[in-house]
Amino acid sequence: MPGIIKVKILKLSYLILLMTVTASCQKDKNADLVKINTLPSLLHEISGITMLSDHNVYAINDSGNSNVLFCLNQKGKIVSQIKIPGATNIDWEDLAYDQEDNIYIGDFGNNGNDRKDLVIYKVSGILSNTIITSKIEFIYEDQKKFPPKKKRLNFDVEAFVHLNGNLYLFTKNRGKKSKRVTKLYRVSATPGKHMAKLIGAYETCKNYSNCLITGAAINRSEDKIALLTHNKVFLLSNFKGDNLFDGSIQKIALKHNSQKEGICFKNDSILFITNEKTNHHKATLFKYILK
């Protein structure tokens, strides 16, 4: 009888150890993607973020929401709400910044690929509270039909960055029969009417649901660009000239799948990432530590 009790105790101890190891492995699985905070309900449809030199995070909601820019601290708490004069939120999808702390709001969400009123708002004076808004209107040089055929639905954009006086736009490919290619366009950052010039393309992956580019960010040194999908980041570096895909491209699996649409650099080694509220996930601010 004592022998049987000893065996049972050993089995129980082994089971506890196994459960501990398993829990530890599950915890470590997403160790690089760290939850900072759940976002306030005002940001349940957060679609883009960026950071200015005040080290605050700026955020927007997408279509159906007001023309408000939210200023957050690095814990995801709302510090202030800034109504952007002269701007309408048709489908705001991403934010970018330049070295002078101007913010660019991309009103270029285009699910149906049929919009002819694409605009990027340049917002100056955010930090000095002397806000001036100007418009950068554009069309794609290779779009001839509105909408194009279903297999050519590749004129929706949810991601862009500012670099060397230009804005670089990455498409969200909705062409079900085409390869999962994001196209890269260049648009002048000068207010006015412009043609978006097609300058490159990159096949992100084979699986449709995992290939859609939903956000972009560039670091302060302007030598790294991060492209976001629902479950991964593409880190671009060593690029020269316009074609940002000509350098090195590192694919980073986040090991977490949700409707991620916002990304920015806190510094050269840390990314902030946000996702929208869905049935399965709360709107959340994460950080990811680059290796």
Side-chain angles (χ1 to χ4, degrees), residues 5 49 109 139 141 145 163 165 189 206 231 256 263 283:
I5 294 173
I49 60 174
I139 57 175
E141 69 170 355
K145 295 183 179 181
L163 178 64
K206 303 292 184 182
N231 63 6
H256 181 275
I263 188 168

Side-chain angles (χ1 to χ4, degrees), residues 110-117 143 145-148 153 155:
N110 191 14
N111 291 4
N113 282 228
D114 55 357
R115 284 186 64 180
K116 296 182 179 181
D117 57 351
Q143 183 169 10
K145 295 183 179 181
F146 299 82
L153 294 176
F155 297 98

Side-chain angles (χ1 to χ4, degrees), residues 98-118:
D98 63 25
Q99 299 291 340
E100 286 73 47
D101 279 329
N102 298 307
I103 277 184
Y104 299 83
I105 302 173
D107 191 352
F108 39 44
N110 191 14
N111 291 4
N113 282 228
D114 55 357
R115 284 186 64 180
K116 296 182 179 181
D117 57 351
L118 301 169

Side-chain angles (χ1 to χ4, degrees), residues 41 45 47 67 90 112 119 122 131 140 142 150 153-154 159 165 167 175 217 223 232 239 268 271:
S41 59
E45 294 187 284
S47 61
N67 58 330
I90 296 177
V119 62
K122 180 179 181 179
I131 296 174
Y140 300 108
D142 58 332
K150 289 184 178 180
L153 294 176
N154 201 3
L167 298 164
D223 59 2
K232 66 175 67 69
F239 44 81
D268 283 350
L271 294 169

Side-chain angles (χ1 to χ4, degrees), residues 1-20:
M1 184 69 91
I4 295 174
I5 294 173
K6 185 177 181 181
V7 169
K8 286 185 177 180
I9 291 173
L10 286 173
K11 283 185 177 180
L12 181 61
S13 299
Y14 175 76
L15 182 60
I16 292 171
L17 177 62
L18 181 63
M19 291 172 65
T20 303

Side-chain angles (χ1 to χ4, degrees), residues 6 17 19 31 43 75 78 86 94 107 125 147 158 162 164 168 174 189 195 202 220 225 239 251-252 288 291:
K6 185 177 181 181
L17 177 62
M19 291 172 65
L43 288 166
K75 297 296 184 182
I78 296 175
D94 201 12
D107 191 352
E158 294 190 4
H162 177 279
N164 297 329
Y168 292 87
R174 295 181 179 276
M195 183 77 73
Y202 176 70
R220 280 280 168 180
I225 292 173
F239 44 81
K251 186 186 293 187
I252 301 170
Y288 182 86
K291 296 177 181 178

Side-chain angles (χ1 to χ4, degrees), residues 139-191:
I139 57 175
Y140 300 108
E141 69 170 355
D142 58 332
Q143 183 169 10
K144 309 302 179 185
K145 295 183 179 181
F146 299 82
K149 293 181 180 180
K150 289 184 178 180
K151 64 181 180 180
R152 300 185 184 279
L153 294 176
N154 201 3
F155 297 98
D156 184 22
V157 170
E158 294 190 4
F160 75 138
V161 298
H162 177 279
L163 178 64
N164 297 329
N166 292 304
L167 298 164
Y168 292 87
L169 285 58
F170 303 85
T171 62
K172 182 178 183 180
N173 193 339
R174 295 181 179 276
K176 299 286 186 180
K177 294 182 180 180
S178 66
K179 293 181 179 179
R180 306 308 163 211
V181 171
T182 180
K183 294 193 291 184
L184 172 63
Y185 290 90
R186 185 188 67 221
V187 181
S188 171
T190 303

